[in-house]
Amino acid sequence: MIEETKEKDEVQFDEQHLRQLLENHETDNFREEFLALHPYDQAQFYEKVEPDIRQIIYQYLSPKEMADIFEAIELDDDEYKGILEEMDTTYAAQMLAAMYTDDAVDVLNELDKDQISHFLKIMDKDSAQEIKELLYYEEYTAGSIMTTEYVAIPENSTVRSAMTILRNAAPDAETIYYLFVVDDSNHLTGVVSLRDLIIAEEDTLIRQIMNDRVVSVSVTDDQEAVAQIMKDYNFLAVPVINSKNEMLGIITVDDIIDVIDEEASDDYSKLAGVSDMVTFDKSPFAAAKKRLPWLVVLLFLGMLTANLVDLFTGTLEKVAVLAAFIPLIGGTSGNSGTQALAVAVRGIATGDVEDESKMKLLLREAITGIITGVVCGVIAFGIVFFWKHMWLLGALVGAAICCSIFVATIAGSFIPLLMHRLKIDPAVASGPFITTLNDITSILIYLGIATMFISKLM
Amino acid sequence: MIEETKEKDEVQFDEQHLRQLLENHETDNFREEFLALHPYDQAQFYEKVEPDIRQIIYQYLSPKEMADIFEAIELDDDEYKGILEEMDTTYAAQMLAAMYTDDAVDVLNELDKDQISHFLKIMDKDSAQEIKELLYYEEYTAGSIMTTEYVAIPENSTVRSAMTILRNAAPDAETIYYLFVVDDSNHLTGVVSLRDLIIAEEDTLIRQIMNDRVVSVSVTDDQEAVAQIMKDYNFLAVPVINSKNEMLGIITVDDIIDVIDEEASDDYSKLAGVSDMVTFDKSPFAAAKKRLPWLVVLLFLGMLTANLVDLFTGTLEKVAVLAAFIPLIGGTSGNSGTQALAVAVRGIATGDVEDESKMKLLLREAITGIITGVVCGVIAFGIVFFWKHMWLLGALVGAAICCSIFVATIAGSFIPLLMHRLKIDPAVASGPFITTLNDITSILIYLGIATMFISKLM
């Protein structure tokens, strides 16, 4: 459904006007207009202007106001460093401290170790402590995307006192729409939605209206597992606990959307054989750098194919027409292998693979391979027979296509399953890799059979 | 990041126990335990049990309770019909009326026209009217995924009266975390978050605390454009308006997550050359049916390649070793074409392509093609030279690889851009299609050059 994509963003702000206010040093007017914008639009403006204009912005906005922009900003990973170096160090540290902890950690993760510890030293102790705790979690785990700004209430509070806690927490908490109920030792015991809270009587005890079957995730869970749970349950936020059931933080739906997006791009990139993400690079050198690793690896693998065909030079010299069908057979087997691979990789990604036995899956793919192989083989036989009027050549091409689709389909599903079992990311066995592998086997099958019947073909 | 996917869902309910309660007709115990579950878990249980058990469930649960399950259910599109036919018609109609309108419409869209109008006739008039309005919107538009259960408040209400409206709406509204401010003619004039509302003084006028720069989407917008806006602004819901700025409904973040998921799978399927979605099919026949259309189309295209190679039989008979490099050159050009294709398709999908001129993009891809082509060409020359000790053969293979990578890279980005311009879904020019096309051009380049230098090669 890509054909109709978003039109150019409706402009929500007047870039030229804002620029003028900055250049004319009209502080108050700039602040009034700029701060009325949604942080995303503020970030859009900030990303567009030149470094000298940004310097004026730093003078006019407080670190807290700058923090709102930084939470909405979308920079490439390697651009954060330069931007932070533009700012006064103390200003930058105050800004980081004012950001939601998870977002601050995302920014800090792009810096050198020295820079991180320098920033942590000069910011206030509480923020530094919170950031340090999150920095410690491994990438792609629940811990690495959670935030610590949530609203916790004691079990024995009333609805009235919970509302008071909520009002105080509202300016800082990342979401106030779920309240997490904890006991004296910070164990998670329940959850109350703000929806339930506002329709409850003021004197009701939280314990009476809370839901005590809380769905939570462990801090070491993979972010993709968290995404699955939030998708299934339609949560806006999910609590993160440690092995002792102590509440550590929450993960909000906006971060999960980013995870879903990232994971999908990641699978897509690997199927396309691009190292790193498929993105729009600003320079052709950056683009070439991402694409060359795969191309070169596949070039070497392709040399194996060449070597293999070379072994059959004797056969090809005798019946040169055989060469005509090499690309066809390799291509068809590559295509069916990629199809099987895509199904297996997505099945592993969505967890569908877990729901049934691997053997059953492979058996099903084998039957699929036989069906598609026979259909394509018969069609190929027909075309070659009518074109060349050589039934043996037709039978040979048809049989080779049938066999190689069968082998390619099994390989396309077996290899990712094997890699999954071995705890290797199955998407690494990307499209081009499987295709090259299937090239080799299909040519072996084709020229092998041809050599056996060479006397009849001449 | 697929390697560690979700573990088998932690069991949140005791399936055997619930089954027993149903079989022993312990109505009250079943209701107590079952209704304490999250609707997602209720749906999981409902999907697992057999038709005769489901009949008992219909007796024990009200249509409203069944509606909660149906909002959380995940069936294949063609399964809804059978399930609804299992139910008493009046019960089913009441259930559909009790569902959020957008979810009810999703279910109804899977039925025949006769069935739809029958259900609409027997349900209460208000629900039928709301459903009719949504049924009218085209698939993949904002209108088709919006819901009409939102909270609207008049501009001149106070915070206190808004809270009263909210409390009354809370049980039915799909989200109560944004309140949409409308004037007397239902024009959208502002938005207030519940967060702002609960920290405001009770006598404040809504007009004073509302945000009047509302970001909204048009009812005819593509769902992908809506997803982009919600991702950018981190909204939990976005209002949908018509061309007269009248408020029609809202789209909530949970529906947007489904859109993002769907669109990503769709692009992925097309890159893999599988018609319809890449999904786990239960039967190999269903799987073969999805894969065969592409395989057969590509088989015919592959015959063109065979035809082309066949034209060069004379050349190949003289220097059979040339055949050895056909798969290598075709493969390399196919790989670089798929890479360029993936970048362009994703760029179009995310809207990045709109931000710059198409010419600039093509120019950049051309330079990328030259860089990757030259690097791969030189490496190929080196390998062939050291292996075969024939510098001319090496130069030929190197030059052919260089040229065909260049052509493939340009074709890989030009074709999707052209299709986008022609309003055709560019993802249709899927991986295998581009690969086959590049196969043909690369072989033409390779065997063309070889034929030119045939006397030197012999």
Side-chain angles (χ1 to χ4, degrees):
Chain A
M1 306 310 107
I2 295 181
E3 65 272 43
E4 290 177 53
T5 51
K6 75 166 173 173
E7 303 298 309
K8 260 207 133 2
D9 286 329
E10 277 175 63
V11 182
Q12 307 275 350
F13 57 91
D14 181 346
E15 187 185 331
Q16 282 315 316
H17 182 60
L18 285 173
R19 270 175 188 277
Q20 264 174 7
L21 293 177
L22 282 172
E23 279 159 7
N24 301 341
H25 297 280
E26 297 183 40
T27 319
D28 294 341
N29 289 338
F30 173 77
R31 283 181 54 84
E32 194 185 324
E33 292 211 16
F34 188 73
L35 294 176
L37 296 176
H38 188 282
Y40 173 73
D41 295 317
Q42 296 177 3
Q44 291 283 85
F45 176 75
Y46 173 82
E47 283 181 56
K48 268 190 189 146
V49 297
E50 299 71 33
D52 53 319
I53 302 273
R54 288 203 292 266
Q55 288 301 335
I56 312 179
I57 298 182
Y58 303 143
Q59 286 168 34
Y60 290 2
L61 298 184
S62 71
K64 171 76 192 112
E65 287 156 352
M66 198 63 218
D68 292 340
I69 300 181
F70 252 65
E71 280 157 7
I73 218 167
E74 286 168 353
L75 294 175
D76 289 342
D77 289 350
D78 51 356
E79 290 176 334
Y80 283 103
K81 213 181 144 176
I83 287 273
L84 283 182
E85 281 167 358
E86 258 179 37
M87 297 180 194
D88 174 75
T89 321
T90 316
Y91 182 91
Q94 284 170 349
M95 179 194 78
L96 287 165
M99 287 171 72
Y100 288 125
T101 319
D102 57 340
D103 295 324
V105 168
D106 288 345
V107 173
L108 284 169
N109 269 327
E110 304 307 329
L111 308 182
D112 305 331
K113 280 203 172 164
D114 291 352
Q115 282 177 303
I116 299 177
S117 58
H118 185 59
F119 277 129
L120 291 177
K121 242 177 244 158
I122 54 180
M123 73 174 64
D124 66 290
K125 279 206 178 136
D126 285 355
S127 304
Q129 187 53 38
E130 279 177 10
I131 288 176
K132 262 184 218 159
E133 277 166 22
L134 289 197
L135 271 173
Y136 155 90
Y137 295 108
E138 241 177 294
E139 228 183 342
Y140 310 122
T141 61
S144 72
I145 53 170
M146 75 180 182
T147 186
T148 46
E149 284 96 350
Y150 59 90
V151 186
I153 45 173
E155 272 184 305
N156 49 6
S157 37
T158 59
V159 167
R160 188 182 298 110
S161 61
M163 282 301 282
T164 310
I165 295 176
L166 199 63
R167 284 202 184 88
N168 294 330
D172 288 326
E174 187 153 349
T175 181
I176 59 158
Y177 301 131
Y178 293 121
L179 289 83
F180 299 93
V181 187
V182 290
D183 67 12
D184 296 340
S185 327
N186 195 33
H187 293 124
L188 178 65
T189 58
V191 64
V192 181
S193 71
L194 181 49
R195 187 192 285 245
D196 295 333
L197 204 64
I198 64 164
I199 54 177
E201 295 294 326
E202 294 217 308
D203 292 320
T204 317
L205 284 177
I206 288 296
R207 192 184 300 125
Q208 293 174 285
I209 59 165
M210 77 181 190
N211 178 354
D212 56 5
R213 291 173 177 254
V214 199
V215 177
S216 59
V217 298
S218 155
V219 70
T220 54
D221 277 353
D222 187 83
Q223 58 178 9
E224 206 165 342
V226 179
Q228 192 63 46
I229 287 175
M230 293 192 66
K231 253 192 289 185
D232 286 343
Y233 287 93
N234 287 345
F235 286 146
L236 300 179
V238 68
V240 183
I241 55 170
N242 64 12
S243 55
K244 291 179 213 142
N245 195 31
E246 287 162 347
M247 174 122 189
L248 299 178
I250 58 167
I251 296 173
T252 50
V253 70
D254 55 310
D255 296 320
I256 283 305
I257 289 184
D258 295 339
V259 168
I260 294 173
D261 238 21
E262 247 175 59
E263 306 276 356
S265 292
D266 194 47
D267 287 357
Y268 188 82
S269 308
K270 281 170 182 157
L271 190 66
V274 187
S275 67
D276 211 336
M277 289 295 173
V278 167
T279 41
F280 254 39
D281 288 299
K282 270 150 209 148
S283 102
F285 296 95
K289 210 175 124 194
K290 277 187 193 166
R291 300 183 199 178
L292 272 172
W294 264 112
L295 285 179
V296 172
V297 168
L298 294 168
L299 188 64
F300 276 91
L301 278 175
M303 283 293 170
L304 289 181
T305 325
N307 217 320
L308 194 70
V309 180
D310 197 44
L311 295 178
F312 293 96
T313 316
T315 307
L316 290 172
E317 265 167 357
K318 285 175 201 144
V319 190
V321 71
L322 286 175
F325 299 99
I326 292 179
L328 170 71
I329 291 165
T332 308
S333 111
N335 293 335
S336 54
T338 306
Q339 292 179 333
L341 172 83
V343 172
V345 167
R346 285 311 290 176
I348 293 170
T350 57
D352 286 345
V353 160
E354 308 291 333
D355 296 343
E356 62 170 322
S357 82
K358 310 274 183 294
M359 272 317 294
K360 229 168 128 184
L361 170 71
L362 284 176
L363 184 69
R364 203 170 57 215
E365 284 293 323
I367 301 174
T368 308
I370 292 174
I371 300 173
T372 49
V374 168
V375 172
C376 291
V378 169
I379 294 175
F381 166 78
I383 301 176
V384 175
F385 179 70
F386 282 105
W387 172 27
K388 290 277 171 191
H389 298 288
M390 288 168 71
W391 78 264
L392 189 61
L393 184 66
L396 170 65
V397 172
I401 282 185
C402 179
C403 293
S404 49
I405 286 181
F406 177 67
V407 174
T409 305
I410 292 181
S413 52
F414 178 71
I415 292 175
L417 286 176
L418 181 73
M419 297 179 93
H420 180 55
R421 168 68 63 89
L422 301 175
K423 303 266 172 208
I424 305 168
D425 182 352
V428 167
S430 66
F433 177 76
I434 287 278
T435 303
T436 307
L437 202 73
N438 288 330
D439 241 15
I440 297 177
T441 52
S442 64
I443 286 166
L444 200 61
I445 293 170
Y446 172 55
L447 294 179
I449 308 181
T451 309
M452 273 161 41
F453 293 95
I454 188 71
S455 57
K456 303 236 167 85
L457 279 164
M458 284 170 69
Chain B
M1 305 310 107
I2 296 181
E3 66 272 41
E4 289 178 53
T5 50
K6 75 166 174 174
E7 302 298 309
K8 261 208 134 358
D9 287 330
E10 277 175 63
V11 181
Q12 305 276 351
F13 57 91
D14 181 346
E15 187 186 331
Q16 280 316 315
H17 182 59
L18 285 172
R19 271 176 187 275
Q20 262 174 8
L21 292 177
L22 283 171
E23 280 159 6
N24 302 341
H25 298 280
E26 298 183 38
T27 319
D28 294 340
N29 288 338
F30 173 77
R31 284 181 53 84
E32 192 186 325
E33 292 212 15
F34 188 71
L35 294 175
L37 295 177
H38 187 283
Y40 173 73
D41 294 318
Q42 295 177 1
Q44 291 283 78
F45 176 75
Y46 173 81
E47 285 181 53
K48 268 189 190 148
V49 296
E50 299 70 34
D52 54 318
I53 302 272
R54 287 204 293 267
Q55 288 302 336
I56 311 178
I57 297 183
Y58 304 142
Q59 287 168 33
Y60 290 1
L61 298 185
S62 72
K64 170 76 193 110
E65 286 157 353
M66 200 63 216
D68 292 340
I69 299 181
F70 252 66
E71 281 157 8
I73 219 166
E74 288 167 352
L75 294 175
D76 290 342
D77 289 350
D78 51 355
E79 290 176 334
Y80 283 103
K81 212 178 144 177
I83 287 273
L84 283 181
E85 282 167 357
E86 256 179 40
M87 297 181 194
D88 174 76
T89 320
T90 317
Y91 182 91
Q94 285 170 349
M95 178 194 79
L96 287 165
M99 286 171 74
Y100 288 124
T101 318
D102 58 338
D103 294 325
V105 167
D106 288 345
V107 174
L108 284 170
N109 268 327
E110 304 307 329
L111 307 182
D112 305 332
K113 280 202 171 162
D114 290 351
Q115 283 177 304
I116 299 177
S117 58
H118 185 61
F119 277 130
L120 290 178
K121 241 175 247 160
I122 54 178
M123 72 174 63
D124 67 289
K125 276 202 179 143
D126 285 355
S127 304
Q129 187 51 39
E130 281 176 9
I131 288 177
K132 264 185 215 157
E133 276 165 21
L134 290 196
L135 270 174
Y136 156 90
Y137 295 108
E138 240 178 293
E139 227 184 343
Y140 310 123
T141 62
S144 74
I145 53 169
M146 75 181 183
T147 187
T148 46
E149 285 94 349
Y150 59 90
V151 186
I153 45 172
E155 272 184 305
N156 49 5
S157 38
T158 58
V159 167
R160 189 183 297 110
S161 62
M163 281 301 281
T164 310
I165 295 175
L166 198 64
R167 283 202 186 89
N168 293 332
D172 287 326
E174 188 154 349
T175 181
I176 57 159
Y177 301 132
Y178 294 121
L179 288 82
F180 299 94
V181 187
V182 289
D183 67 13
D184 294 341
S185 326
N186 195 32
H187 293 126
L188 179 65
T189 57
V191 63
V192 180
S193 71
L194 182 49
R195 187 193 286 245
D196 295 332
L197 204 64
I198 63 164
I199 54 178
E201 295 295 325
E202 295 216 308
D203 292 319
T204 317
L205 284 177
I206 288 298
R207 192 183 300 125
Q208 293 173 285
I209 57 164
M210 77 180 189
N211 178 356
D212 56 5
R213 292 172 175 254
V214 200
V215 178
S216 60
V217 297
S218 154
V219 70
T220 55
D221 278 354
D222 187 84
Q223 58 178 9
E224 207 166 343
V226 179
Q228 192 63 46
I229 287 175
M230 293 193 66
K231 254 193 287 186
D232 286 344
Y233 288 93
N234 285 344
F235 286 146
L236 299 180
V238 69
V240 183
I241 55 171
N242 64 13
S243 53
K244 295 180 210 141
N245 196 32
E246 287 163 346
M247 174 119 189
L248 300 178
I250 58 167
I251 296 173
T252 49
V253 70
D254 54 310
D255 295 320
I256 284 304
I257 289 185
D258 295 339
V259 168
I260 295 174
D261 238 22
E262 247 176 57
E263 305 277 356
S265 291
D266 194 46
D267 287 358
Y268 188 83
S269 307
K270 281 168 181 159
L271 189 67
V274 186
S275 68
D276 210 336
M277 291 294 173
V278 167
T279 42
F280 254 40
D281 288 298
K282 272 152 208 148
S283 100
F285 296 95
K289 209 175 124 193
K290 279 187 193 166
R291 299 184 199 178
L292 272 172
W294 263 113
L295 285 179
V296 173
V297 168
L298 294 167
L299 187 65
F300 276 90
L301 277 176
M303 282 295 170
L304 290 181
T305 326
N307 218 322
L308 193 71
V309 179
D310 196 43
L311 295 178
F312 293 96
T313 316
T315 307
L316 289 172
E317 263 168 358
K318 287 175 199 143
V319 190
V321 71
L322 285 175
F325 298 99
I326 292 179
L328 170 71
I329 292 166
T332 309
S333 113
N335 293 334
S336 53
T338 306
Q339 292 179 334
L341 172 83
V343 171
V345 167
R346 285 311 289 175
I348 292 170
T350 59
D352 286 346
V353 160
E354 308 290 333
D355 297 343
E356 62 170 325
S357 81
K358 312 272 184 294
M359 273 317 295
K360 228 168 128 185
L361 170 70
L362 284 176
L363 184 70
R364 203 171 56 213
E365 283 293 324
I367 302 175
T368 307
I370 292 174
I371 301 173
T372 48
V374 168
V375 172
C376 291
V378 169
I379 294 175
F381 167 76
I383 301 177
V384 176
F385 180 70
F386 281 105
W387 172 26
K388 290 277 171 191
H389 298 288
M390 288 167 73
W391 76 263
L392 188 62
L393 184 67
L396 170 65
V397 172
I401 281 185
C402 179
C403 294
S404 50
I405 286 181
F406 176 68
V407 173
T409 305
I410 292 181
S413 51
F414 178 72
I415 291 175
L417 286 175
L418 180 73
M419 297 181 93
H420 180 53
R421 168 66 63 89
L422 300 176
K423 303 265 172 207
I424 305 169
D425 181 353
V428 167
S430 66
F433 177 75
I434 287 278
T435 303
T436 307
L437 201 73
N438 288 328
D439 239 16
I440 297 178
T441 53
S442 64
I443 286 166
L444 200 61
I445 293 170
Y446 172 56
L447 293 180
I449 308 180
T451 308
M452 273 160 44
F453 293 95
I454 188 72
S455 58
K456 302 234 167 89
L457 278 165
M458 284 168 70

